[in-house]
């Protein structure tokens, strides 16, 4: 009988390999685990990837795509294969079926989230089921938010800080994204010049939150300036300005060296007003306008110059009996109470190109602050109507003020009541009053002429005789006396 031939050794090896393949497939396991947040709650939508440096794609890749490798080095990326990937559900659980036995590495990732640990080593046996040795923990995540004004419009250019560190800024629509929010309570603050905002204190955003609550502007800047043409006297720096709300609540601010002031005002109607001291109010000082009503909405209100305490030009005329008034007539501008505000010689402020005929001399006083004054003329031995001058009200730098005339009268005749200044000029009775005063003065001169001539030799008391600086009577004075004699006849 012939002897049977034995198969070669290589054939036995192939047979053993083929028989072992089904056994290996049967030994594939299901690998599972969890992803949680810092408080132990489940986190959904986290991708968990199975990595290996020894195995090629196995059975798990048939139902779960390979995913990607998050390697710390190029060498690790070249030698590591992403076998398959699973995504956590609402319960935070992930599961990879068909994993062969061996040594593997797990990684977890979610866009905008920080996950710890970076990777987990796992050994899969032939038992049919395997579990990750520890859960992945989401320690930080991205979350969006919005900054709005009182009317709900987005506020751009706002710096957003997390736990005191600036980490983001709002776009033109007021939106921002915090890239790495740590797990647990956080403080989110906002800052921009001319705005005040609410803070998110102790907020506890979760990875599944779409947005944080809105940060709202609670107040915006209301700024302006107090302009003064006489800053040294009025004190541009340190001037008090008040802001009063609709409910009567009041704030006070002080101007800086440039006269500027600023308030943080909540939305709604407000009234701004500069503050005068009792002494300034008693002196008749005033601001233009005395107050300003402002409606504050969502944006800052920057007024520029809000109040003016400027310097106006005050013009008038002096009327003298004997001809053009001499230049040494003094003009005195006094505040209520008698304090001298300004003074000048008529010859220094006379308007040479506007002189009228006869005894009238026009003048102009510049740089007169707003306020109420009495304007008077003075010269030794001369008398004026009215005795205590005329009232002048200067209301602002943009209004030219015309004062009633200052009229010389005979010192022996009674003073007439002063004409009252109307808005921006004279009362309608002023021209008639000037004529009456001139006629009365002329009549007095005529009636007492002989007495003056007699007394002048003995040092009499007539103003025209006793004052060596008095000008000689011109021809129009004789004409005036003739008219008075005709009127009496």
């Amino acid at each position: 009988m012939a002897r049977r031939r034995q198969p070669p050794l290589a054939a036995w090896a192939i047979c053993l390999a083929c028989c072992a393949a089904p056994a290996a497939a049967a030994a594939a396991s299901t690998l599972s685990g969890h992803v949680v947040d810092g408080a132990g709650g489940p986190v959904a939508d986290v991708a968990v990837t199975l990595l290996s440096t020894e195995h090629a794609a196995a059975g798990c890749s048939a139902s779960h795509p390979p995913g990607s490798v998050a390697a710390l080095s190029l060498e690790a990326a070249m030698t590591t294969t992403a076998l398959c990937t699973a995504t956590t559900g609402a319960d935070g659980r992930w599961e990879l079926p068909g994993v062969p036995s061996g040594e593997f590495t797990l990684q977890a990732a979610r866009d905008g989230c920080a996950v710890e640990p970076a990777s987990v080593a796992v050994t899969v046996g032939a038992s049919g089921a395997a579990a990750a040795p520890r859960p992945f923990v989401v320690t930080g995540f991205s979350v969006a938010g919005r900054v709005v004004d009182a009317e709900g419009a987005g506020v751009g250019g706002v710096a957003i800080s997390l736990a005191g560190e600036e980490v983001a800024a709002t776009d033109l629509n007021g939106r921002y994204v915090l890239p790495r929010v740590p797990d647990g309570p956080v403080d989110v603050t906002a800052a921009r010049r001319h705005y005040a905002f609410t803070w998110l204190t102790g907020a506890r955003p979760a990875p599944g939150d779409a947005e944080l609550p809105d940060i709202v502007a609670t107040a915006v800047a209301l700024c302006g300036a107090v302009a003064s043409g006489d800053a040294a006297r009025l004190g541009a720096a340190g001037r008090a300005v008040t802001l009063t709300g609709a409910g009567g609540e009041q704030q006070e601010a002080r101007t800086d060296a440039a006269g500027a002031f600023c308030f943080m005002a909540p939305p709604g109607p407000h009234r701004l007003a500069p503050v005068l001291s009792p002494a300034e109010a008693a002196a008749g000082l005033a601001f233009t306008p005395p107050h300003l009503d402002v409606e504050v909405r969502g944006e800052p209100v920057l007024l520029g110059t809000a109040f003016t305490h400027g310097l106006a030009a005050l013009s008038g005329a002096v009327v003298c009996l004997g001809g053009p008034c001499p230049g040494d007539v003094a003009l005195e501008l006094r505040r209520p109470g008698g304090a001298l505000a300004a003074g000048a010689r008529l010859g220094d402020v006379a308007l040479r190109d506007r002189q009228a005929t006869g005894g009238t001399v026009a003048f102009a006083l510049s740089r007169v602050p707003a306020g109420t004054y009495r304007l008077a003329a003075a010269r030794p031995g001369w008398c004026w109507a009215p005795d205590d001058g005329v009232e002048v009200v200067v209301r602002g730098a943009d209004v030219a003020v015309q004062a009633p005339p200052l009229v010389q009268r005979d010192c022996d005749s009674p003073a007439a009541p002063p004409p009252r200044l109307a808005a921006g000029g004279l009362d309608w009775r002023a021209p008639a009053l000037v004529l009456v005063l001139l006629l009365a003065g002329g009549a007095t001169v005529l009636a007492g002429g002989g007495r003056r001539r007699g007394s002048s030799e003995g040092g009499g008391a007539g103003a025209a005789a006793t004052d060596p600086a008095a000008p000689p009577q011109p021809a129009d004075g004789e004409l005036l006396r003739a008219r008075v004699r005709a009127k009496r006849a």
Side-chain angles (χ1 to χ4, degrees):
M1 175 182 286
R3 189 175 180 181
R4 177 178 288 183
R5 187 177 178 181
Q6 298 293 328
L9 183 61
W12 285 107
I14 294 173
C15 181
L16 289 173
C18 292
C19 293
S29 301
T30 297
L31 180 62
S32 62
H34 290 82
V35 179
V36 298
D37 59 22
V43 180
D45 300 322
V46 178
V48 179
T49 302
L50 182 69
L51 309 174
S52 175
T53 59
E54 299 178 356
H55 295 265
C60 71
S61 62
S63 57
H64 295 75
S68 60
V69 179
L72 298 179
S73 67
L74 178 61
E75 181 181 356
M78 295 294 291
T79 59
T80 302
T81 302
L83 301 181
C84 46
T85 300
T87 302
T88 59
D91 58 356
R93 179 178 171 80
W94 57 270
E95 189 175 274
L96 290 170
V99 178
S101 60
E103 303 291 330
F104 300 92
T105 300
L106 291 168
Q107 288 182 342
R110 174 178 166 177
D111 288 343
C113 290
V115 181
E116 293 182 357
S119 63
V120 173
V122 60
T123 300
V124 177
S127 64
R134 57 177 295 186
F136 286 102
V137 180
V138 175
T139 59
F141 44 88
S142 296
V143 65
R146 192 165 181 250
V147 178
V148 298
D149 62 22
E151 298 186 330
V155 181
V158 179
I160 305 298
S161 296
L162 187 64
E165 180 182 357
E166 185 176 332
V167 294
T170 60
D171 61 16
L172 294 178
N173 296 315
R175 297 193 174 277
Y176 64 91
V177 175
L178 299 178
R180 297 289 182 180
V181 178
D183 184 64
V186 294
D187 295 337
V188 182
T189 60
R192 181 185 165 182
R193 187 185 180 197
H194 293 151
Y195 286 85
F197 299 99
T198 58
W199 289 8
L200 299 180
T201 303
R204 298 188 68 100
D209 290 346
E211 283 193 353
L212 289 169
D214 285 347
I215 295 176
V216 182
T218 57
V220 295
L222 173 53
C223 302
V226 178
S228 173
D230 194 4
R233 183 176 66 79
L234 292 174
R239 168 71 59 181
V241 181
T242 60
L243 179 70
T244 305
E249 63 281 3
Q250 190 174 85
Q251 303 180 51
E252 182 176 293
R254 296 276 175 174
T255 57
D256 61 16
F261 62 86
C262 235
F263 293 93
M264 293 307 296
H270 299 271
R271 171 165 288 188
L272 278 170
V275 178
L276 289 168
S277 68
E280 289 172 332
L285 300 179
F287 282 98
T288 303
H291 61 262
L292 188 64
D293 292 327
V294 180
E295 182 76 20
V296 175
R297 298 187 183 276
E299 297 183 348
V301 180
L302 307 178
L303 298 172
T305 299
F307 303 100
T308 302
H309 197 145
L311 304 173
L314 172 62
S315 59
V318 179
V319 182
C320 295
L321 294 176
C325 300
D328 62 351
V329 172
L331 297 174
E332 297 176 347
L333 194 64
R334 296 185 180 273
R335 300 189 184 95
L340 183 65
R345 293 177 71 256
L346 181 60
D348 296 333
V349 295
L351 302 177
R352 302 298 178 186
D353 58 341
R354 289 176 50 193
Q355 301 301 337
T357 59
T360 302
V361 176
F363 67 87
L365 298 175
S366 61
R367 299 181 60 80
V368 177
T372 301
Y373 304 91
R374 293 207 73 81
L375 175 65
R379 191 171 190 268
W382 283 30
C383 299
W384 303 89
D387 286 334
D388 60 346
V390 295
E391 182 181 276
V392 176
V393 179
V394 179
R395 301 194 183 280
D398 297 331
V399 180
V401 179
Q402 177 71 36
L406 301 170
V407 183
Q408 182 194 5
R409 66 175 177 85
D410 188 274
C411 291
D412 292 336
S413 64
R420 183 167 183 82
L421 179 66
L426 292 176
D427 190 285
W428 65 270
R429 298 180 295 272
L433 177 61
V434 173
L435 179 60
V436 171
L437 290 173
L438 288 173
L439 292 176
T444 304
V445 171
L446 180 63
R451 184 171 65 255
R452 282 192 181 82
R453 286 191 296 271
S455 60
S456 62
E457 299 175 359
T466 58
D467 187 355
Q473 294 291 334
D476 59 351
E478 296 297 334
L479 180 60
L480 178 61
R481 286 192 288 273
R483 288 177 178 174
V484 172
R485 285 195 296 270
K487 184 176 180 66
R488 285 188 172 183

